Amino acid sequence: MRLAELSERSGLPTATIKYYLREQLLPPGVLVSAKQADYGEEHLRRLRLVRALIQIGRMPIATAREVLTAIDDESLDQNDRLGMAVGALPPGPTQPDQDDRATAAARREADLLLDSLGWTNCEDASSGPYRALVTALAALAALGYPHDLDHLVPYAHQATRLAAHDLDMVQEYESPSEQIEAAVALTVLYEPILLSLRRLAHARESTLRHGTRTTGRSTA
């Protein structure tokens, strides 16, 4: 297909597609003349992924490029490609203060939690999810909220079930590259769903425990 058709089918303006091409988020098409190129279904699929990362996931261009580079690196095994691609997603920039005593205590608690779960391959201090976990535990401790194993393990068990369900969905795709793309896109798109369902469940549980929930709107 030509650029105009790619724009129509993807729902993105041609100017945006050209920008993604310049930023190396989209591979170039096959040249058919000095000024024209053909694009295939793989370009359409990549555009949908880029749109999910940037427009929905609000990911910076540089981070999106890093994710896409990991997706395309066929020299890595599938586990490494998945880890690099999903690991580049936010909250990667979260960085605890290495000299903060509270952060050091939170890191010990995080390691204790992961050890108790048998997640010994997850204690990479440079990984975004690990740093985010440590930062959150330090904040909970500073505010005096529960952050012990008894309170954290139920969340981890729910996460284990969700992870298995996520990978079951990913494995429905045939090629390794499609699986990596799906893992990234589903992480970006399902995390808002997970957060929304959790908050809706809170509202439902509160209503069951405390009676009819008022909306704050006048019935007059």
Side-chain angles (χ1 to χ4, degrees):
M1 72 187 88
R2 297 298 169 86
L3 183 60
E5 183 181 352
L6 182 62
S7 171
E8 181 180 356
R9 292 185 60 186
S10 67
L12 292 172
T14 57
T16 300
I17 297 175
K18 289 179 180 179
Y19 174 67
Y20 290 164
L21 285 165
R22 289 196 301 272
E23 292 294 326
Q24 300 178 346
L25 302 177
L26 184 69
V30 178
L31 288 176
V32 293
S33 70
K35 296 184 178 181
Q36 287 189 327
D38 271 342
Y39 302 91
E41 293 296 324
E42 68 276 10
H43 291 91
L44 183 62
R45 189 176 68 243
R46 175 56 63 90
L47 277 176
R48 289 170 179 157
L49 175 60
V50 172
R51 188 176 187 178
L53 296 177
I54 295 175
Q55 296 186 4
I56 300 174
R58 300 186 182 278
M59 183 180 295
I61 293 293
T63 305
R65 189 185 301 113
E66 181 181 349
V67 171
L68 296 171
T69 297
I71 288 174
D72 294 334
D73 189 352
E74 296 183 356
S75 67
L76 301 173
D77 64 32
Q78 190 71 348
N79 187 53
D80 286 342
R81 291 173 74 187
L82 276 167
M84 289 182 66
V86 176
L89 301 174
T94 303
Q95 181 62 55
D97 185 347
Q98 299 293 330
D99 299 324
D100 190 325
R101 290 185 179 181
T103 299
R107 186 174 291 107
R108 290 192 295 270
E109 291 176 348
D111 292 345
L112 180 63
L113 171 64
L114 297 177
D115 287 343
S116 71
L117 295 167
W119 296 5
T120 54
N121 63 326
C122 300
E123 297 174 4
D124 179 0
S126 66
S127 76
Y130 179 86
R131 296 199 308 268
L133 174 62
V134 170
T135 301
L137 290 175
L140 284 168
L143 294 171
Y145 289 112
H147 53 283
D148 55 88
L149 286 182
D150 287 344
H151 286 88
L152 296 174
V153 166
Y155 287 93
H157 288 167
Q158 294 295 335
T160 297
R161 286 189 282 271
L162 285 171
H165 180 66
D166 287 342
L167 288 178
D168 285 344
M169 285 196 295
V170 166
Q171 290 175 348
E172 292 176 4
Y173 295 85
E174 294 183 1
S175 73
S177 293
E178 286 178 315
Q179 290 179 2
I180 303 293
E181 290 179 5
V184 171
L186 292 175
T187 298
V188 171
L189 297 173
Y190 267 86
E191 283 186 346
I193 292 175
L194 180 60
L195 176 60
S196 299
L197 289 174
R198 182 172 184 249
R199 293 184 179 180
L200 289 169
H202 283 174
R204 171 63 176 168
E205 185 65 20
S206 179
T207 300
L208 291 174
R209 294 187 183 200
H210 306 299
T212 303
R213 182 171 59 93
T214 60
T215 63
R217 292 179 297 181
S218 173
T219 57

